[in-house]
């Protein structure tokens, strides 16, 4: 067994020589222990230094000594005096102290930041009370060791510390002080803070007031310097913006009278400036006075704990439910305290990694109930702001102005990426940062405040959109079925005689028009405002090209039937047979005209979103507000001109189609055997379009009615066209069994031509012409009736 260690020598001896690659000139032997097997030597640093790393060497059995690790070094200790409020108006020390300690551990382990120094934190609980802080500051200044920097929190405490620190040549770096008074460089010449001044939020508040057109506001504040100076700055800014502070209330400890005065003065827009503990008192009184709801908007400070209104407080007699009801809808403004970007800063941690490490150090404490959790990144970055210094900081004392000036210059020029964002100080020593606006909605803070202004966007009825979308979807399926049927039976003579390629275009056009119903019903309820112009383009192109294909193919049929089969007999005999390319060329021309006109429209005057404003109206319920409804439209600078051109051109085509359909209603031809069905479809489409177009323009300000007319006209016209053109063909092929190809049809005994009404009609026409020639050759003869036709026939001789 090993016996007890006994000191060989307790007298410090110096080892100025280099051993193991490390100079030991700064080390001393603290003690030598004689063991049964070996010796061991413990080292300490000379002077007021501490050794970092292994500090013991052992004599091995082989007669050699263990080496001192290259990580071992002597570092001078530097002390930071800190005041963390663990309780009181703002108990920010609950999270800020662990955050600062975490930063100190990382700084001390880095060899590139203050490599010759070890930072140590000496801290006390100030309770966010200037009186308590006075006593603690005395202890920090008059108790060894000397502190090189002071780190207070709470504006009242920081004001006291910063004003006194100049007498001791001490730099003050605060992590949680927002008082505007602290920006006074004459009064606080050595003060810096990673938390910006509270006046940083006043321009944001004024802009919100202007955005929602509020011209009268009220204020209530706790009587402390931080809130008084903030309110003075707000009053100056509101005057410049033409906004009146009609009521200004203050309180020291009990806000009951101040809240009653706000109620009596009919305050609606209220800015509240007070600490968290007083905030619970205020809103307990707010609940009692019913000074909340949609008639009232509260603006509060954003650095309270997330669930500050749910924390049990013996100073109030309101339940959690009462407090939750009273604070609903309030707006907060605060700086962005956590870097939103996923980048590693000076501490080699991202903001997310910092939060994870802090949660581990807090030991499972609920962040929502932990004071200062939001400000913890500021305390962390405050430690990292102690950058590299050039002078021997161990020589600092309260009379050394040179080292203080160097520390001041280093902080004043600091610029680094921290877990709270980019850290940089302005000329007054305050942090520069962005402002975050949040509103409490349903017990959760959101970045999109709503219900605060006097506007409301009108959206399309989702029930109406759903019903029409279902019909449009079924119509697209019907169009696909008709298209498939036509392609599959393309070799059947009856289908071939109906010009199937034109019918395919009709089916595709109907499906495109039905698909346009979906973007026609999409509005700001479904997509972001920035995506609305794309939806406008889809509406225009799908509906425009769909109409051109569907109606254009039908118009082409009726045009050529009229051209070929309604002329005088002598001219018609000279006509050539109908060639398919002429049909396709006609559709191509109609489609090209639409395509070019739409393209020119979009290049010259593209569609964009416009907002129509309506007369203000009172909402349901006693909300004491007027809402100005807004409606979003797809429009362009010369919308009426473009619509006039398009509607005029389309209207002429519809009227011409009706005329041609009427003119060819009695024509029979085998080349286009479904032209009567086409004519019927043209009648329905033309009537629906000519009725719907002007109605939708008149009802454009009524989103539901306008959508209903436009979409249902599109749906019904597409359904009618598909049913009239394709269902009779399906019925004929199914009932008569005409599923064979043209070649089979010619070989079949008793060809279907014998049953074809058009063949009979042509035979009768030929016979009629022959009989008319005979009558002209033999004039004066008696007439008789043959084959059901009124013809002049020669009388036989008796």
């Amino acid at each position: 067994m090993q016996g007890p260690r006994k000191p060989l020598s307790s007298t410090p001896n110096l080892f100025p020589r280099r051993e193991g690659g490390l100079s030991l000139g700064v080390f001393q032997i603290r003690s030598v222990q004689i063991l049964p097997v070996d010796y061991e030597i413990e080292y300490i640093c000379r002077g007021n230094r501490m050794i970092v790393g292994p500090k013991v060497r052992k004599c091995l059995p082989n007669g050699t000594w263990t080496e001192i690790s290259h990580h071992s070094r002597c570092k001078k200790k530097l002390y930071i005096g800190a005041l963390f409020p663990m309780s009181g108006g703002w108990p920010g020390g609950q999270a800020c102290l662990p955050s600062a300690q975490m930063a100190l551990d990382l700084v001390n382990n880095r060899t590139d930041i203050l490599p010759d120094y070890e930072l140590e934190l000496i801290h006390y609980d100030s309770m966010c009370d200037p009186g308590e802080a006075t006593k603690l500051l005395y202890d920090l200044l008059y108790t060894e060791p000397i502190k090189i920097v002071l780190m207070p929190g709470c504006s009242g405490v920081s004001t006291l510390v910063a004003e006194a620190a100049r007498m001791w040549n001490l730099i003050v770096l605060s992590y949680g002080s927002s008082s505007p008074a602290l920006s006074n460089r004459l009064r606080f010449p050595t003060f810096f803070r990673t938390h910006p001044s509270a006046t940083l939020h006043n321009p944001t508040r004024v802009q919100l007031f202007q955005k929602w057109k509020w011209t009268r506001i009220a204020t209530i504040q706790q009587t402390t310097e931080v809130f008084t100076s903030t309110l003075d700055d707000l009053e100056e800014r509101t005057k410049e913006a033409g906004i009146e502070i009609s009521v200004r209330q203050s309180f020291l400890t009990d806000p009951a009278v101040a809240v009653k005065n706000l109620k009596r003065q009919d305050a609606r827009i209220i800015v509240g400036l007070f600490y968290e503990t007083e905030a619970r008192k205020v809103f307990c009184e707010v609940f009692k006075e019913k000074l909340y709801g949609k008639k009232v908007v509260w603006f509060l400070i954003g650095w309270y704990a997330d669930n500050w209104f749910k924390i049990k407080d013996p100073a109030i007699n309101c339940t959690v439910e009462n407090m939750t009801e009273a604070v609903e809808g309030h707006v907060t403004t605060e700086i962005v305290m956590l870097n939103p970007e996923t980048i590693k800063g000076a501490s080699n941690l991202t903001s997310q990694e910092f939060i994870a490490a802090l949660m581990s150090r807090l030991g499972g404490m609920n962040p929502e109930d932990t004071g200062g959790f939001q400000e913890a990144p500021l305390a962390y970055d405050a430690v990292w702001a102690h950058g590299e210094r050039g002078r021997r900081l161990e020589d600092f004392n309260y009379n050394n102005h040179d080292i203080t000036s160097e520390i001041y210059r280093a902080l004043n020029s600091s610029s680094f990426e921290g877990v709270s964002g980019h850290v940089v100080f302005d000329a007054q020593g305050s942090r520069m940062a962005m402002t975050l606006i949040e509103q409490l909605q349903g017990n959760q803070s959101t970045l999109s405040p709503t219900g605060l202004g006097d506007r409301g966007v009108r959206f399309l009825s989702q029930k109406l959109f759903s019903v029409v979308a279902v019909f449009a979807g079924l119509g697209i399926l019907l169009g696909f079925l008709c298209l498939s049927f036509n392609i599959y039976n393309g070799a059947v003579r009856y289908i071939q005689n109906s010009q199937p390629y034109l019918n395919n275009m009709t089916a595709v056009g109907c499906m495109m028009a039905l698909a346009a119903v979906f973007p026609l019903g999409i509005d700001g309820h479904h997509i972001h405002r920035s995506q609305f112009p794309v939806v406008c383009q889809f509406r225009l192109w799908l509906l425009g090209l769909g109409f051109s294909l569907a109606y254009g193919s039908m118009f082409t049929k009726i045009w050529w039937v009229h051209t070929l089969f309604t002329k005088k007999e002598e001219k018609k005999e000279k006509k050539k047979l109908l060639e398919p390319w002429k049909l396709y060329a006609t559709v191509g021309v109609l489609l090209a005209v639409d395509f070019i006109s739409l393209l020119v429209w979009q290049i010259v005057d593209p569609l964009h979103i416009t907002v129509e404003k309506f007369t203000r109206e009172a909402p349901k319920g006693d909300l004491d507000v007027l809402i100005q409804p807004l409606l979003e439209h797809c429009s362009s600078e010369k919308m009426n001109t473009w619509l006039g051109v398009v509607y005029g051109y389309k209207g002429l085509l519809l009227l011409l189609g009706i005329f041609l359909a009427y003119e060819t209603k009695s024509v029979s031809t085998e080349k286009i055997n479904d032209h009567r069905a086409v004519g019927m479809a043209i009648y329905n489409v033309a009537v629906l379009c000519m009725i719907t177009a002007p109605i939708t323009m008149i009802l454009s300000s009524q989103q539901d009615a306008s959508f209903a007319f436009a979409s249902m006209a599109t749906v019904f016209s597409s359904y009618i066209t598909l049913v009239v053109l394709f269902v009779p063909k399906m019925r004929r092929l199914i009932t008569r069994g005409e599923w064979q190809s043209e070649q089979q049809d010619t070989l079949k005994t008793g060809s279907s031509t014998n049953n074809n009404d058009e063949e009979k009609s042509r035979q009768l026409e030929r016979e009629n012409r022959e009989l008319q020639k005979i009558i002209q050759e033999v004039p004066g003869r008696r007439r008789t009736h043959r084959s059901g036709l009124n013809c002049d026939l020669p009388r036989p001789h008796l």
Side-chain angles (χ1 to χ4, degrees), residues 487-651:
I487 295 174
Y488 180 77
N489 297 287
V492 178
R493 174 176 294 178
Y494 180 71
I495 300 298
Q496 289 180 341
N497 289 340
S498 66
Q499 298 299 325
Y501 290 107
L502 292 182
N503 289 339
N504 292 345
M505 294 180 189
T506 303
V508 172
C510 289
M511 287 190 287
M512 291 179 65
L514 289 168
V517 170
F518 295 97
L520 196 64
I522 293 177
D523 53 21
H525 183 79
H526 305 90
I527 60 173
H528 190 267
R529 183 185 178 92
S530 61
Q531 299 172 323
F532 208 76
V534 178
V535 175
C536 295
Q537 302 295 337
F538 271 101
R539 291 180 184 178
L540 183 64
W541 285 91
L542 282 176
L543 198 56
L545 297 182
F547 179 87
S548 297
L549 277 176
Y551 183 79
S553 57
M554 295 190 297
F555 179 84
T556 297
K557 284 186 178 183
I558 214 72
W559 169 269
W560 281 105
V561 169
H562 182 272
T563 301
L564 295 178
F565 301 106
T566 60
K567 302 296 182 180
K568 294 182 179 180
E569 294 298 331
E570 60 273 13
K571 293 183 178 180
K572 191 172 75 172
E573 292 295 332
K574 299 179 182 179
K575 293 287 182 181
K576 296 181 180 180
L577 295 176
L578 179 61
E579 299 179 15
W581 71 267
K582 296 181 179 179
L583 300 175
Y584 306 146
T586 304
V587 177
V589 170
L590 296 175
L591 190 62
V593 170
D594 277 348
F595 181 84
I596 293 174
S597 61
L598 292 177
L599 186 62
V600 172
W601 184 356
Q602 295 313 299
I603 294 176
V604 176
D605 189 15
L607 290 174
H608 58 271
I609 185 172
T610 58
V611 178
E612 180 182 3
K613 297 180 181 180
F614 299 89
T615 304
R616 293 185 180 185
E617 56 189 31
K620 295 180 180 179
D622 184 21
L623 299 181
D624 197 24
V625 295
L626 290 176
I627 295 178
Q628 183 180 53
L630 305 175
L631 184 61
E632 298 172 336
H633 293 283
C634 288
S635 183
S636 59
E637 298 299 328
K638 299 181 179 179
M639 186 72 172
N640 293 332
T641 302
W642 292 106
L643 287 180
V645 173
V646 173
Y647 283 170
Y649 164 64
K650 301 289 186 183

Side-chain angles (χ1 to χ4, degrees), residues 155-156 159-160 163 179-182 187-188 221-232:
S155 293
T159 300
L160 169 73
E163 200 160 23
S179 173
L182 290 167
R187 184 179 173 190
F188 310 104
Q221 64 157 113
Q222 183 180 355
T223 308
T224 59
E225 184 180 30
V226 55
F227 302 126
T228 300
S229 54
T230 302
L231 195 53
D232 290 341

